[in-house]
Amino acid sequence: MDIRLFQSMLQAQTTDNLRLPSSSNSSALFNDLLMTQMQPPTLLNPIETGLSIREILEGRPSLLAQTSAVTTPVQANVAQDLDAIIKEAAATYQIDERLIRSVIKTESNFNQHAVSRAGAEGYMQLMPQTAKGLGVTDSFNAKQNIFGGTKYLRQMLNRYNNNTTLALAAYNAGPGNVDKYNGIPPFTETQNYVKKVLTQYQA
């Protein structure tokens, strides 16, 4: 409670009592104000409200609170552009766009800047040498990466007579290993990779 405000209220009450000794309205008003001041302040939790301490005291919402639930135009454009790129790549190389999405999901979980321990880069995790052979100059460029990866997947499909399983195995382990073992190589990573992509593709 603000002591100075309380003192001012007492002075005002005393003055009013002197001026209006028979008035009960003044006393009632004083009592109401006094009870209001005696109530403990309501404390807001900054974490729950999304406001800073200063903004709570000033009664203003933070910029974070105003924008956290809103998808920014940049985010929206990125999502729309990615969808358009996948559709265009699918049409260009005659591959089901669901398969492309499944590969991207498995390879990078749609992380444009993903880099594997082996050095594969971007959405479709292109190795630098493979990317170069596909004409990709920037593996972190969404369109170049997805078009390059889709082109490579089409090459593998052509090589294995549109056998999706073998094409995916070659995409992961290289066609040399698929040819060597005449099927999916006995590598746990490759076997799990093929299953994961096919499961998502066929879901």
Side-chain angles (χ1 to χ4, degrees):
M1 179 178 176
D2 190 328
I3 299 301
R4 287 175 297 180
L5 178 59
F6 181 68
Q7 291 173 339
S8 297
M9 290 168 58
L10 285 176
Q11 291 174 357
Q13 173 65 8
T14 301
T15 301
D16 288 342
N17 285 342
L18 290 173
R19 292 177 180 174
L20 302 170
S22 62
S23 173
S24 60
N25 291 336
S26 178
S27 296
L29 178 59
F30 175 80
N31 289 335
D32 289 342
L33 290 172
L34 180 60
M35 290 302 295
T36 299
Q37 287 297 311
M38 292 297 290
Q39 292 295 323
T42 300
L43 299 178
L44 299 178
N45 187 329
I47 296 176
E48 294 177 355
T49 61
L51 308 179
S52 68
I53 298 297
R54 180 176 179 180
E55 286 160 343
I56 289 175
L57 295 176
E58 294 179 354
R60 295 183 306 178
S62 67
L63 180 61
L64 176 62
Q66 295 177 52
T67 62
S68 60
V70 180
T71 300
T72 67
V74 172
Q75 290 174 322
N77 288 338
V78 167
Q80 291 172 3
D81 289 347
L82 182 60
D83 187 61
I85 290 169
I86 292 173
K87 288 181 181 294
E88 187 179 351
T92 300
Y93 295 105
Q94 293 299 294
I95 295 178
D96 189 337
E97 67 179 81
R98 292 180 304 142
L99 181 58
I100 299 173
R101 292 179 190 280
S102 298
V103 170
I104 294 175
K105 173 67 176 176
T106 304
E107 290 284 359
S108 67
N109 196 29
F110 288 90
N111 180 355
Q112 182 176 355
H113 302 287
V115 178
S116 73
R117 287 175 293 180
E121 301 171 333
Y123 281 123
M124 297 188 77
Q125 292 289 275
L126 302 178
M127 293 296 291
Q129 199 61 34
T130 302
K132 184 177 180 180
L134 294 166
V136 175
T137 59
D138 180 3
S139 288
F140 298 113
N141 176 285
K143 186 167 185 176
Q144 284 194 43
N145 187 286
I146 292 172
F147 266 70
T150 303
K151 180 180 180 179
Y152 186 64
L153 186 58
R154 166 43 65 194
Q155 291 175 354
M156 296 303 100
L157 285 166
N158 290 344
R159 181 167 180 152
Y160 297 106
N161 299 313
N162 286 316
N163 184 316
T164 303
T165 299
L166 293 182
L168 290 173
Y171 190 98
N172 178 263
N177 281 314
V178 173
D179 294 343
K180 177 181 178 181
Y181 293 100
N182 195 31
I184 301 176
F187 309 146
T188 301
E189 177 189 336
T190 301
Q191 293 175 346
N192 289 339
Y193 174 84
V194 172
K195 289 178 183 178
K196 189 173 182 180
V197 175
L198 289 177
T199 297
Q200 294 182 77
Y201 173 51
Q202 297 167 354

